[in-house]
Amino acid sequence: MSDFSVIFHDLSATKGFPSELLKRKESDLSVFLDRVKPIIERVKQEGDAALQHFARELDGVTASEMTIRATEEEFDEAFAVIEPDVMDAIKYAIGNIRRFHEAQKPEDSWMIEVQPGIWAGDRCLPIDSVACYVPRGKGSFPSVLNMTAIPGTVAGVPRLIVVTPPAHDGRVDAGTLVAARLIGVKDVYKCGGAQAVAAVAFGTETVPACAKIVGPGSPYVVAAKRLLGDVLDPGVPAGPSEAIILTDDSVDPVLAALDLIIESEHGPDSSAWLVTSSRRVAEGVRTALETHWAAMEAKRAGFSRAVLGGEYGGIILTKDFDAAVAFTNAYAPEHLEILTTDPMADLGRIRNAGEVLLGHATPVTLGNYVLGPNAVLPTNRAARTHSPLSVHDFMKRMSFARVSDEAYPEAARHAERFARFEGFDGHARAVSSTRPMPKVAPR
């Protein structure tokens, strides 16, 4: 460790890396699980009354009255206050994200003939009801609304709703309401945190119960999803933000420092690492960060300082680029930005990451807002087995098959052998000579 405020791990003389560097804030949810249990139970028992209580106690709502469902008047007022340039940005993002997810949507159905007379296929259907969670605690996130609601509308989910924490005045962020209306989502509910997850799991007088919830959230949201995983599908495991900026010696440290700040400014529970084999870049980034922080708004700079000077972020110097790649794959970051001489070639070396952004003209900021691929990504090493949020997360597959009379005897003979071998007499009898099959007319 250095004496600088930015944590510096010099691994240039070692072959591996300490396993504790892989940890995130959400790695140990025990304290959060204990805290959300009574919240979940109160929402289950009291419904809307509990949501109103937690809006005041946890979200700091001071308004004397608050409707849980956003009204049409609130939508109209949101359009009146959004600046034209912000409106243009929201529309630009919606167009790109919609085009990407429309291309991603699977066929309604497909079928192949696996043997003569044996047909099998899939039908792809939208899930009946999905809730999109849009966080609010450390800012306003119409971008998250775009990333969660657009694939849901492309998939054709019949009941697609939004849950999001209210501000102190009991209102929803104007940008979120504008994006929702532009996308076609009419139902936005003012509840956040564990109470929102409980509301869509059990339903309240106002909030409908849903089959699934998607979207990123705090460790409290992650804990609630885990506890309620047997009641509703918790979706892609998306917790606090995390990123790795992976570089060789070719990058400008000033640029790399800019991009390291992006995810670290989300909040003190985020994770952000510069991973490099270049001491020049490592030292240069450490110096450049101070300059960038001095030019930033104080709150966000403070979040970034806390992350990069804490347990879950900083600078890692490896002995060579192979070691930097090895750490990146072990970490399995939510966001990965590759700043090297040939990022497309280096992409082939990455196995575990939610998204990979290639080159100096593709910072994480663009991926978060406007490029098209989904920015709701697996966190806490879940990228080893999970994928980004997509149209597929709002759909389900139903397999089907049909066997012709001519193909039945051979298929039945093999199936009966399987059933006898595995000891299932009923299975075997159903495809044995006992089955009263209609006679096939000669052709």
Side-chain angles (χ1 to χ4, degrees):
M1 300 293 186
S2 76
D3 295 327
F4 285 75
S5 59
V6 179
I7 298 298
F8 187 94
H9 296 273
D10 188 343
L11 307 181
S12 60
T14 62
K15 289 185 177 181
F17 51 85
S19 59
E20 56 264 26
L21 294 181
L22 302 178
K23 292 182 180 179
R24 278 76 149 179
K25 182 79 169 181
E26 63 177 302
S27 296
D28 182 9
L29 288 176
S30 56
V31 64
F32 300 102
L33 292 169
D34 290 339
R35 290 174 182 173
V36 303
K37 285 177 183 176
I39 296 174
I40 291 171
E41 186 60 28
R42 186 159 181 176
V43 172
K44 181 179 180 180
Q45 298 299 327
E46 300 179 16
D48 283 357
L51 296 182
Q52 293 280 8
H53 168 78
F54 290 124
R56 294 189 297 271
E57 181 181 279
L58 300 179
D59 296 316
V61 171
T62 57
S64 57
E65 294 184 6
M66 184 194 79
T67 61
I68 292 175
R69 184 178 183 273
T71 65
E72 287 300 311
E73 291 76 16
E74 288 177 274
F75 276 92
D76 293 339
E77 291 166 4
F79 274 80
V81 301
I82 290 293
E83 296 292 334
D85 58 342
V86 177
M87 185 72 73
D88 288 344
I90 291 174
K91 291 179 179 178
Y92 176 83
I94 287 174
N96 290 349
I97 297 164
R98 188 180 297 280
R99 280 186 286 274
F100 178 86
H101 288 87
E102 284 174 345
Q104 192 181 62
K105 185 179 179 181
E107 297 180 66
D108 290 341
S109 65
W110 60 270
M111 184 167 61
I112 62 169
E113 192 173 19
V114 298
Q115 289 277 354
I118 300 179
W119 294 87
D122 275 342
R123 288 184 66 204
C124 294
L125 304 165
I127 295 171
D128 291 339
S129 57
V130 181
C132 301
Y133 185 86
V134 178
R136 176 77 187 261
K138 305 180 189 74
S140 56
F141 298 106
S143 59
V144 178
L145 188 286
N146 288 343
M147 294 295 178
T148 54
I150 290 173
T153 58
V154 170
V157 174
R159 170 172 276 176
L160 188 70
I161 72 169
V162 171
V163 288
T164 188
H168 295 324
D169 61 2
R171 290 176 171 268
V172 173
D173 163 60
T176 298
L177 290 179
V178 165
R181 178 174 282 182
L182 290 174
I183 292 166
V185 177
K186 297 180 179 179
D187 297 319
V188 177
Y189 299 95
K190 304 170 192 175
C191 52
Q195 60 270 31
V197 182
V200 298
F202 301 115
T204 73
E205 297 90 332
T206 301
V207 182
C210 293
K212 186 170 186 174
I213 186 169
V214 300
S218 70
Y220 293 95
V221 172
V222 176
K225 287 180 178 181
R226 183 172 298 182
L227 286 174
L228 292 169
D230 59 345
V231 182
L232 84 168
D233 185 335
V236 175
S241 301
E242 55 184 58
I244 281 180
I245 310 300
L246 175 65
T247 88
D248 58 14
D249 191 54
S250 66
V251 70
D252 182 342
V254 173
L255 185 149
L258 271 176
D259 292 357
L260 182 59
I261 288 173
I262 295 170
E263 291 304 295
S264 68
E265 74 166 343
H266 272 281
D269 55 359
S270 299
S271 305
W273 294 100
L274 175 85
V275 182
T276 184
S277 54
S278 168
R279 186 173 295 275
R280 178 191 69 85
V281 172
E283 297 288 355
V285 166
R286 188 164 59 169
T287 301
L289 283 169
E290 293 290 349
T291 302
H292 292 321
W293 286 331
M296 288 174 61
E297 182 266 331
K299 184 175 91 167
R300 295 295 172 180
F303 287 156
S304 181
R305 284 181 182 275
V307 171
L308 298 176
E311 189 177 351
Y312 307 107
I315 296 170
I316 296 175
L317 176 64
T318 60
K319 70 183 182 72
D320 52 34
F321 192 70
D322 287 345
V325 170
F327 176 82
T328 299
N329 280 321
Y331 192 88
E334 177 191 22
H335 305 275
L336 171 61
E337 189 175 319
I338 300 180
L339 300 176
T340 60
T341 54
D342 192 351
M344 282 299 297
D346 293 326
L347 172 63
R349 306 180 66 182
I350 302 301
R351 294 191 54 80
N352 301 322
E355 72 169 358
V356 184
L357 300 162
L358 302 167
H360 66 272
T362 321
V364 174
T365 303
L366 295 184
N368 280 345
Y369 293 128
V370 299
L371 294 185
N374 210 288
V376 177
L377 305 163
T379 61
N380 197 26
R381 302 188 78 199
R384 293 175 296 166
T385 57
H386 287 74
S387 305
L389 189 70
S390 71
V391 168
H392 304 284
D393 291 288
F394 294 83
M395 305 187 77
K396 58 181 181 178
R397 291 182 299 107
M398 178 190 301
S399 295
F400 62 91
R402 183 173 183 178
V403 179
S404 70
D405 289 348
E406 293 83 0
Y408 171 79
E410 181 182 22
R413 184 171 66 253
H414 290 299
E416 184 177 0
R417 287 170 180 161
F418 265 107
R420 297 292 182 197
F421 180 79
E422 294 187 355
F424 289 103
D425 190 45
H427 282 59
R429 287 176 55 79
V431 290
S432 70
S433 58
T434 304
R435 187 177 190 84
M437 292 289 290
K439 297 202 180 288
V440 180
R443 299 192 176 201

